[in-house]
Amino acid sequence: MQCPKCVALIPDEDLFCESCGSRVQAEPECPCFTGLQDLDEDGYCLRCGRRVIRPAEDHLEFELSPDFAGVSDRGLRHHSNEDRFAIDEVNGWRLLVVCDGVSSSPDADKAAVQGSQAALASMRKDLENGASAPDAVKSSVDAAAVAVSELGLRLQEAPSTTIVSAAMSDKQIAVAWIGDSRAYWIADGHAHQLTTDHSWLNMALERGEIDRAEAGRSRNAHALTRWLGVDSDPGDPGTVLQEIEGVGALLLCSDGLWNYADTDQAMSDLVLDSAKSADTALGIARYLIEYALTEGGHDNITAVVLRQPGVSPPEDSL
């Protein structure tokens, strides 16, 4: 091979010309990368030594303000990131959506994209037109259900996703959800889970079929009982309206995070620890993602953080 710049002859496998230092061909990409556990700190595969190029969707960050941001990451075990989130602001409301594509379904990432985008667009339109926040978040889940079902019909497959959708003002939080993506309100040093997972565990407990200890040991404990998809009739979403006072933060997340902090106390401790080392919502979200990665990163991980804007929190809050 001949260098196109200095015309020196160089071996065919070389990436750079030894005579002039010019790059002579693109660096080959790693063909065997399966997870971050096989990646060194410089971004090269520990198996073949070639550079790993990750799709942009593997790690997503978006910040609307120092108080409002989200991060989503592929994690360490999955081949792609099937989580998506969407955030916006309208008429004094901050809007948040998290979708977790069901990995056992085909094109789960597309379901999460369609669901999150449809939900945000619906919620924004409704609130611009004067709808109440509870009605807007419920309709946003309905819109996402339609969008994901239409996707399945187009693809002639059954992609599916969970969803949690929320709108927050200075006084209220309205939340609607299908599946096991969660919303938490963290204030006064405590986390309060606003959602209730649509899972086999909770269904069994509601029916009185099993006690919590036995249900928690079941292999089906976290199996979804409701989701969005052409193969599902999700029914009405779960809804909650939370009145708020004082300083706090709203967290929406996928199970890739909360599986490592499954109780209110554990999530409270985690978020408050994050606030000690991060002074923005984006920093907090990054901390939460990194925590899940250090714990094993077995699933895609998404965290969206919204702090009360314009307020300096005390040390034991946010």
Side-chain angles (χ1 to χ4, degrees):
M1 181 170 60
Q2 192 173 48
C3 173
K5 186 172 182 179
C6 72
V7 302
L9 293 177
I10 54 178
D12 289 343
E13 66 273 14
D14 283 8
L15 301 179
F16 295 89
C17 174
E18 293 184 359
S19 297
C20 69
S22 299
R23 178 179 284 278
V24 294
Q25 59 179 322
E27 186 175 0
E29 297 179 19
C30 164
C32 57
F33 177 64
T34 58
L36 294 182
Q37 70 275 9
D38 298 323
L39 186 66
D40 72 13
E41 61 183 11
D42 296 318
Y44 288 82
C45 177
L46 295 173
R47 297 182 180 183
C48 69
R50 294 180 176 179
R51 185 164 61 97
V52 174
I53 298 179
R54 299 178 64 186
E57 294 79 10
D58 276 9
H59 186 86
L60 301 168
E61 296 188 359
F62 185 60
E63 181 183 39
L64 273 182
S65 75
D67 295 306
F68 194 10
V71 179
S72 181
D73 192 89
R74 186 178 74 174
L76 301 178
R77 301 298 180 89
H78 282 235
H79 290 282
S80 62
N81 186 6
E82 296 167 342
D83 283 6
R84 291 297 188 275
F85 69 91
I87 59 178
D88 204 352
E89 296 177 311
V90 58
N91 293 350
W93 291 93
R94 278 82 70 192
L95 318 180
L96 310 79
V97 182
V98 167
C99 286
D100 178 359
V102 179
S103 59
S104 60
S105 71
D107 292 310
D109 57 332
K110 295 178 182 178
V113 169
Q114 292 293 317
S116 59
Q117 292 178 348
L120 188 72
S122 171
M123 191 162 31
R124 181 180 181 87
K125 181 179 179 181
D126 284 350
L127 290 171
E128 286 177 334
N129 291 333
S132 70
D135 286 344
V137 295
K138 181 179 182 299
S139 294
S140 76
V141 174
D142 294 338
V146 170
V148 176
S149 291
E150 290 178 347
L151 173 68
L153 293 173
R154 291 197 303 272
L155 297 176
Q156 296 184 333
E157 295 178 329
S160 55
T161 185
T162 70
I163 186 170
V164 57
S165 181
M168 177 174 158
S169 70
D170 293 337
K171 299 297 183 181
Q172 288 183 330
I173 303 169
V175 184
W177 71 96
I178 294 285
D180 63 356
S181 293
R182 293 183 177 181
Y184 293 86
W185 173 242
I186 301 103
D188 299 323
H190 301 284
H192 172 53
Q193 185 181 334
L194 301 176
T195 54
T196 301
D197 302 339
H198 291 131
S199 64
W200 177 88
L201 184 150
N202 284 334
M203 181 183 70
L205 292 176
E206 289 171 4
R207 293 177 177 177
E209 299 173 350
I210 199 169
D211 63 39
R212 177 168 290 278
E214 186 178 356
R217 291 192 295 268
S218 171
R219 294 177 59 185
N220 296 322
H222 294 303
L224 291 174
T225 56
R226 299 174 65 188
W227 60 89
L228 304 185
V230 71
D231 62 339
S232 170
D233 179 10
D236 290 334
T239 58
V240 67
L241 180 65
Q242 175 80 25
E243 303 293 331
I244 57 175
E245 294 182 0
V247 177
L250 178 63
L251 167 67
L252 266 59
C253 65
S254 62
D255 63 344
L257 175 63
W258 66 251
N259 269 326
Y260 298 113
D262 194 17
T263 67
D264 283 1
Q265 186 61 53
M267 185 61 73
S268 174
D269 292 344
L270 176 59
V271 175
L272 292 174
D273 283 346
S274 73
K276 294 175 183 177
S277 59
D279 58 2
T280 66
L282 181 59
I284 292 171
R286 286 172 173 168
Y287 182 102
L288 299 177
I289 300 301
E290 185 61 30
Y291 172 80
L293 290 172
T294 60
E295 290 296 305
H298 286 76
D299 202 349
N300 305 147
I301 316 153
T302 298
V304 179
V305 177
L306 171 58
R307 304 189 304 180
Q308 290 283 56
V311 179
S312 298
E315 292 183 359
D316 61 347
S317 182
L318 290 176

